[in-house]
Amino acid sequence: MSDCIFCKIAEGEIPAKIVFQDNHVVAFEDINPQAPVHVIIIPRKHIPTISDLTEDDQELVGYMHLVANKIAAKNGLTEDGFRLVTNCKKASGQEVFHIHTHFLGGREFGWPPG
Ligand code: 5GP
Ligand code: ZN
């Protein structure tokens, strides 16, 4: 998608602090971090929202969680734990319409979320 900011990051057209990438997924530091470790995990494939997923995407979405585990290990958070968040559409506050998982770690989180 030519006007998608996360596609542009994945293609290297917009700079970002990339912490992991391979043929399927890119992970980069959030520009406005909400925790000591705040990484955005995206598929290279442009999918606007979780509502747009198809059965073809099952493996890709599962793989994003395995990438989260790699990010946890890199940051020494495997034992303490972390939070993964995926917003979907208006009620959640989704701002970027290319699916992504927020990896948040390095502090305690409240529940329920705001
Ligand atoms: P959403 O509200 O869609 O779940 O989250 C979008 C996230 O993307 C926000 O946390 C925001 O700070 C981050 N973000 C938006 N634009 C950019 C950007 O250009 N670069 C980076 N690294 N993060 C961005
Ligand atoms: Zn995109």
Side-chain angles (χ1 to χ4, degrees), residues 5-6 9 14-16 28-32 38 40 87 93-96 100 102:
I5 196 162
F6 284 179
I9 287 174
I14 290 179
F28 52 90
E29 291 180 10
D30 196 291
I31 205 166
N32 182 23
H38 187 172
I40 300 288
N87 293 318
Q94 183 179 2
E95 288 177 354
V96 179
H100 52 280
H102 294 255

Side-chain angles (χ1 to χ4, degrees), residues 7 17 29 31 41 45 51 64-65 72 79 83 85 89 100 107:
C7 281
K17 289 184 186 163
E29 291 180 10
I31 205 166
I41 304 167
K45 180 180 178 185
S51 302
M64 288 166 70
H65 280 218
E79 196 172 320
R83 178 168 288 179
V85 174
K89 297 184 178 170
H100 52 280
R107 67 171 172 87

Side-chain angles (χ1 to χ4, degrees), residues 24-62:
H24 305 290
V25 166
V26 181
F28 52 90
E29 291 180 10
D30 196 291
I31 205 166
N32 182 23
Q34 302 301 312
V37 181
H38 187 172
V39 172
I40 300 288
I41 304 167
I42 64 166
R44 287 190 183 274
K45 180 180 178 185
H46 180 84
I47 303 166
T49 78
I50 291 294
S51 302
D52 299 303
L53 291 171
T54 69
E55 288 188 9
D56 286 348
D57 301 318
Q58 279 188 81
E59 203 174 329
L60 180 59
V61 172

